[in-house]
Amino acid sequence: VAQTGERTVNAGGVSIWLPGRECPFMKAGVYDRHGARLEDHFRIVRGRMIDPEADYMVPFFNRVAETIRAENPDWLVFAEFDPFQTLGGHPFPQGCPARMVNASHWYDIVTLVTKTFMYPNAINPFNGKMLEGREAILQHYVSQLARIKASSEGLPGGAPTLIGEFGIPYDLDSGKAYAAWARGDRTDGPWASHVTALELMYEAMDRLLLNSTQWNYTASNSNDLAAGDGWNQEDLSVFSRDQHHLAAGADSGGRAVKGFARPYARATQGEPVRMRFEAASGVFSLTYRADAAINAPTEIVVPAAHFPDGAQIEAPGHEIVLGGEGRVIALRARRSGEHTITIRRAL
């Protein structure tokens, strides 16, 4: 970054406060007109250095649990705390209520802030080192998400992890894909960076067998760089009304659909061990420890974006309950033990 000059803003010193009013923070002594700050103003309360998570978040989580469970005792509490704490390997604090879900948010910070997906070489923002190649970027994501998952271990009784929010800005590179769309380009080309970014993020989650929720869906989203999702110039919606075109069918309006419409096991007749999807070859595999006593099949979603002509199923030791003609494949293991299901894109 190069400094090109200086400009004085509000040279007349016009106050933003109404006549007779003043900044409540300055009045409380948090800072003065010369910029000096009282660093400990919010950190020391009644003479004691506070712990924001233990002193404020834990009581809040417990109040939420008490309130909602007065209505339904079975309801879960989805919670997160400071994301930089979880990325730093800190567990949830002691004293949290039972039956919680770790719903921490996660983003590739560099991509989110710069609105540029650096590939095939990227930067680790936590240590400044280069990430060279696809596998290095993937491992960078895996290490961050693994720390988030590990933070669940301290919760009472253990807890599942649902990445409560993640995604990418779709206005990457100053909306380069939008400009291509405006020129009439309806190929996958303009969305290549978006798809690659999402593939790597989902591959990292698959390696850790994590569930996630992508932020976001905005029905009013447009390709206008000044509008986007309609808030704070964010533009992370998987859908835009400007991406409507009849040839896309049910996926009309979707952006970089191949990046997030991936096959996955939505229900497993036992315990998942490994899940992988290779988008280029169209091969999905699930290894799991089956429990034949479970009277319900394993269900695998096979989206049209990657399986337009259906799927070929390899599942030794299984009864196929529902084949690949639809978008869900259901299979029941005949015996307990470790099994692998492989699903290939039909040619």
Side-chain angles (χ1 to χ4, degrees):
V1 178
Q3 181 175 336
T4 58
E6 294 184 1
R7 182 165 62 94
T8 300
V9 178
N10 193 17
V14 177
S15 175
I16 65 171
W17 303 103
L18 293 171
R21 305 294 176 87
E22 60 182 317
C23 173
F25 294 103
M26 188 168 68
K27 186 176 181 180
V30 178
Y31 74 97
D32 61 29
R33 293 185 184 278
H34 303 291
R37 295 179 297 172
L38 183 61
E39 295 289 350
D40 291 334
H41 184 83
F42 294 106
R43 297 189 297 179
I44 296 179
V45 178
R46 299 185 184 92
R48 182 178 70 86
M49 184 72 75
I50 64 164
D51 180 331
E53 278 70 42
D55 292 332
Y56 296 100
M57 297 307 295
V58 169
F60 174 67
F61 294 158
N62 280 283
R63 287 199 304 273
V64 170
E66 181 181 356
T67 301
I68 66 173
R69 288 170 184 166
E71 182 69 26
N72 187 329
D74 292 333
W75 279 347
L76 304 175
V77 176
F78 286 69
E80 68 161 341
F81 64 103
D82 181 354
F84 290 101
Q85 292 281 336
T86 50
L87 286 174
H90 297 282
F92 271 75
Q94 295 296 309
C96 289
R99 303 195 310 283
M100 278 184 59
V101 174
N102 175 2
S104 297
H105 296 183
W106 173 80
Y107 287 91
D108 176 344
I109 296 173
V110 174
T111 301
L112 181 69
V113 173
T114 66
K115 296 194 176 187
T116 298
F117 177 60
M118 298 180 181
Y119 186 84
N121 297 317
I123 296 174
N124 181 334
F126 302 105
N127 60 20
K129 293 183 178 180
M130 290 295 297
L131 301 167
E132 299 181 1
R134 184 184 183 93
E135 188 62 26
I137 297 172
L138 176 58
Q139 288 302 324
H140 175 59
Y141 291 167
V142 169
S143 66
Q144 293 179 55
L145 289 164
R147 287 194 289 272
I148 292 175
K149 184 177 181 179
S151 70
S152 304
E153 295 172 0
L155 288 169
T161 300
L162 167 74
I163 301 302
E165 180 180 315
F166 90 101
I168 62 168
Y170 283 87
D171 54 345
L172 293 177
D173 302 319
S174 301
K176 187 177 179 180
Y178 304 164
W181 183 275
R183 293 193 301 268
D185 190 341
R186 300 295 183 266
T187 68
D188 292 336
W191 306 102
S193 292
H194 307 73
V195 169
T196 301
L198 289 166
E199 280 180 355
L200 285 164
M201 293 173 186
Y202 275 106
E203 285 176 21
M205 293 191 200
D206 284 352
R207 290 197 182 189
L208 295 166
L209 297 173
L210 279 173
N211 295 293
S212 62
T213 303
Q214 191 177 161
W215 180 268
N216 68 67
Y217 172 89
T218 301
S220 60
N221 181 282
S222 69
N223 289 350
D224 184 345
L225 295 179
D229 297 334
W231 184 83
N232 201 31
Q233 289 190 314
E234 288 191 0
D235 195 345
L236 288 85
S237 178
V238 299
F239 168 91
S240 175
R241 58 191 179 187
D242 286 343
Q243 262 62 66
H244 270 307
H245 66 113
L246 296 178
D251 292 335
S252 181
R255 293 165 153 178
V257 174
K258 287 184 178 179
F260 61 83
R262 295 163 56 87
Y264 69 99
R266 72 179 187 185
T268 306
Q269 185 192 354
E271 182 182 359
V273 174
R274 181 181 183 274
M275 188 168 70
R276 296 286 190 275
F277 176 57
E278 297 176 0
S281 62
V283 178
F284 170 86
S285 64
L286 170 71
T287 299
Y288 73 107
R289 285 186 285 271
D291 182 350
I294 296 176
N295 189 28
T298 293
E299 297 181 357
I300 299 172
V301 176
V302 284
H306 287 286
F307 298 86
D309 300 313
Q312 298 172 341
I313 306 167
E314 298 174 15
H318 287 79
E319 170 194 357
I320 299 177
V321 179
L322 186 65
E325 296 79 12
R327 293 303 162 201
V328 176
I329 295 172
L331 313 97
R332 182 177 285 110
R334 299 190 182 96
R335 59 174 177 78
S336 297
E338 190 164 291
H339 293 271
T340 296
I341 298 169
T342 303
I343 298 174
R344 303 178 188 276
R345 182 185 300 139
L347 301 177

